[in-house]
C-alpha cells in the first residue's frame, strides 16, 4: 500500500509542480512523469487484485478511475505537443 500511495501522490504532485514551471516544455516533462505514475498505480492495483487483496468490484472501480485519469492526461499531453508542433 505504501508504494501505491507514493505513486498516487507522485501523479498529482507532478501535475501541480508542472503547472508552476516557466515553460510548456517543462510542464510536459512533469505531465509525462504524472502519466507514468498513474500507469504504475494502475499496475499495482492489478497486482493487488491478482494476489487477492482487492475484490472484483473494487478493482473494477479502481481500474476505471486510473484508466480515465491516464486517458485524460494523455489527451492533454498530445494536445500540448500538437500545439508545439504547429508553432
Amino acid at each position: 500500500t505504501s508504494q501505491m500511495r507514493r505513486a498516487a501522490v507522485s501523479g498529482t504532485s507532478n501535475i501541480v509542480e508542472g503547472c508552476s514551471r516557466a515553460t510548456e516544455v517543462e510542464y510536459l516533462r512533469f505531465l509525462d512523469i504524472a502519466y507514468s505514475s498513474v500507469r504504475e498505480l494502475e499496475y499495482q492495483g492489478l497486482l493487488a487484485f491478482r494476489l487477492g487483496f482487492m475484490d472484483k468490484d473494487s478493482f473494477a472501480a479502481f481500474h476505471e478511475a486510473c484508466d480515465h485519469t491516464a486517458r485524460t492526461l494523455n489527451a492533454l499531453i498530445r494536445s500540448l505537443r500538437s500545439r508545439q508542433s504547429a508553432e
Side-chain angles (χ1 to χ4, degrees):
T1 58
S2 63
Q3 183 63 28
M4 290 178 80
R5 285 185 190 123
R6 282 192 292 273
V9 169
S10 174
T12 54
S13 294
N14 277 292
I15 293 168
V16 171
E17 188 171 352
C19 286
S20 69
R21 295 300 170 151
T23 68
E24 201 166 89
V25 170
E26 289 179 292
Y27 180 39
L28 275 165
R29 184 169 59 88
F30 281 91
L31 289 178
D32 283 333
I33 295 167
Y35 177 82
S36 295
S37 294
V38 171
R39 287 302 187 188
E40 176 185 357
L41 180 62
E42 185 177 30
Y43 170 74
Q44 291 163 347
L46 175 62
L47 186 58
F49 172 67
R50 287 181 176 171
L51 294 173
F53 297 117
M54 191 181 294
D55 64 56
K56 187 176 183 177
D57 291 338
S58 296
F59 173 69
F62 177 83
H63 175 71
E64 176 61 32
C66 286
D67 191 57
H68 176 74
T69 302
R71 287 174 184 264
T72 302
L73 272 172
N74 191 42
L76 175 59
I77 291 166
R78 281 184 313 179
S79 174
L80 292 172
R81 286 203 173 114
S82 174
R83 191 170 76 182
Q84 281 182 338
S85 296
E87 292 176 356

